[in-house]
Amino acid sequence: MQLIRDIASLREALFTLRTGGGGRIALVPTMGALHQGHMSLVRAAKERADHVVVSIFVNPTQFGPNEDLDAYPRQEAQDAALLEAEGAAILWAPSVAEMYPAGFATSIGVGGVTAPLEGAHRPGHFDGVATIVCKLFNQVGPDVALFGEKDYQQLAVIRRMARDLDLPVDIVGVPTARAEDGLALSSRNAYLSVDERRRAVELPAAMREAVARLEAGEEANGVLAEARARIEKAGFGPVDYVELADAISLEPVRTLAHPARLLVAARLGKTRLIDNFHVKSTK
Ligand code: AMP
């Protein structure tokens, strides 16, 4: 695996890979601190391409002023070893200066699907995400790019951007990898104390219960309120949202005429956790 930090070397390495027989390239964008969720994306990428490029870039523009940019875990050597073992071809790990040269003044703003949920609670977040992912697509020129359903709204935003801007890349969503007790794997789980980690399991447990009740036809507002109460009782707070949304547009829904998604964001101590589950249409 090649560890590359500048765009010129990246272009050279990609040219060699593409011309060296079997040219399909997959991109897995990450912020590092890799866990088995990320590795499931790399494995899915290997099934769809000849060469896998993984990027690690903790993107400052997608963090708000009071968010955890400085505290975000960084462990590049450990990440590189995992990726090497999994057979990635390139680890693309640019500096902030390489990504945002002096005078940088361009931003991609995706409308619609960015408005609710994370967009409402993290102003500017999705502009940062869309801009960096668009740059990564232009730098790597992947045939396919893989994103986790863990960040469900992000996946929807990237799909929208790729479609609206005619980006020549297939966007593939990969199901959420979970710990045995059901908690979605996340680099931010490292912030949880032992006691918080024990209580965190109530988040997916409350959500699974809510999904079952919704699919059984119970009235949505009551189910959502009870899920919120169960999450708060476990020590979460504030709970930013417990929302039932259309699976594609992410607009709030209260009936299951179409496939929907249950999405939650809540803080446990200083850690903000997000999770989401599919909710079947009952029509
Ligand atoms: P991050 O490093 O958190 O920005 O995540 C990089 C990519 O990995 C994103 O597409 C995430 O959605 C995905 N990802 C993060 N956690 C998981 C997980 N538990 N299961 C599947 N994909 C994940």
Side-chain angles (χ1 to χ4, degrees):
M1 185 182 73
Q2 300 179 70
L3 168 59
I4 302 182
R5 298 194 190 278
D6 67 278
I7 290 173
S9 307
L10 177 69
R11 294 235 157 95
E12 230 170 88
L14 285 164
F15 181 79
T16 309
L17 284 187
R18 281 210 186 83
T19 48
R24 248 179 98 76
I25 307 268
L27 172 67
V28 178
T30 83
M31 298 203 300
L34 302 182
H35 49 64
Q36 283 308 310
H38 298 112
M39 300 321 283
S40 71
L41 267 63
V42 175
R43 285 190 280 273
K46 279 201 300 197
E47 288 168 13
R48 290 171 169 80
D50 303 297
H51 310 288
V52 179
V53 178
V54 178
S55 62
I56 294 183
F57 183 65
V58 182
N59 176 31
T61 67
Q62 70 188 70
F63 287 77
N66 299 314
E67 294 184 356
D68 56 342
L69 174 62
D70 293 334
Y72 200 83
R74 289 161 171 90
Q75 46 187 55
E76 190 188 271
Q78 198 178 314
D79 292 348
L82 282 174
L83 294 172
E84 175 103 60
E86 203 58 64
I90 294 177
L91 169 51
W92 169 225
S95 65
V96 172
E98 186 74 5
M99 277 300 209
Y100 295 108
F104 187 91
T106 304
S107 176
I108 305 256
V110 178
V113 74
T114 54
L117 306 165
E118 289 301 282
H121 286 89
R122 303 184 69 188
H125 170 67
F126 285 123
D127 290 352
V129 169
T131 304
I132 205 68
V133 171
C134 188
K135 281 171 67 70
L136 289 165
F137 285 175
N138 286 330
Q139 292 161 352
V140 175
D143 299 277
V144 56
L146 297 96
F147 295 85
E149 289 183 350
K150 162 73 175 29
D151 300 280
Y152 191 80
Q153 191 174 14
Q154 168 174 279
L155 173 59
V157 171
I158 302 301
R159 284 194 199 286
R160 186 75 258 163
M161 173 179 75
R163 202 151 163 213
D164 289 355
L165 299 182
D166 308 306
L167 303 181
V169 52
D170 287 339
I171 307 299
V172 172
V174 177
T176 302
R178 295 178 180 278
E180 249 172 51
D181 65 3
L183 183 67
L185 299 181
S186 165
S187 307
R188 290 189 167 100
N189 292 352
Y191 301 150
L192 297 171
S193 69
V194 173
D195 178 53
E196 287 168 345
R197 175 62 188 82
R198 206 169 32 74
R199 283 183 288 133
V201 67
E202 274 295 283
L203 180 70
M207 293 178 75
R208 281 210 160 105
E209 181 193 343
V211 170
R213 291 172 59 181
L214 289 164
E215 289 179 346
E218 278 192 51
E219 186 269 323
N221 282 325
V223 173
L224 297 179
E226 281 173 41
R228 175 183 283 266
R230 181 170 169 187
I231 292 163
E232 283 170 346
K233 192 158 171 244
F236 283 84
V239 176
D240 283 350
Y241 54 82
V242 176
E243 189 58 281
L244 183 66
D246 180 87
I248 308 286
S249 71
L250 290 183
E251 279 169 20
V253 292
R254 289 297 177 264
T255 57
L256 294 174
H258 303 284
R261 208 84 189 176
L262 177 67
L263 303 107
V264 173
R267 202 169 286 273
L268 184 56
K270 62 180 172 33
T271 311
R272 187 170 179 277
L273 298 179
I274 61 171
D275 203 349
N276 67 86
F277 284 88
H278 177 71
V279 187
K280 278 193 283 230
S281 162
T282 51
K283 298 273 145 53

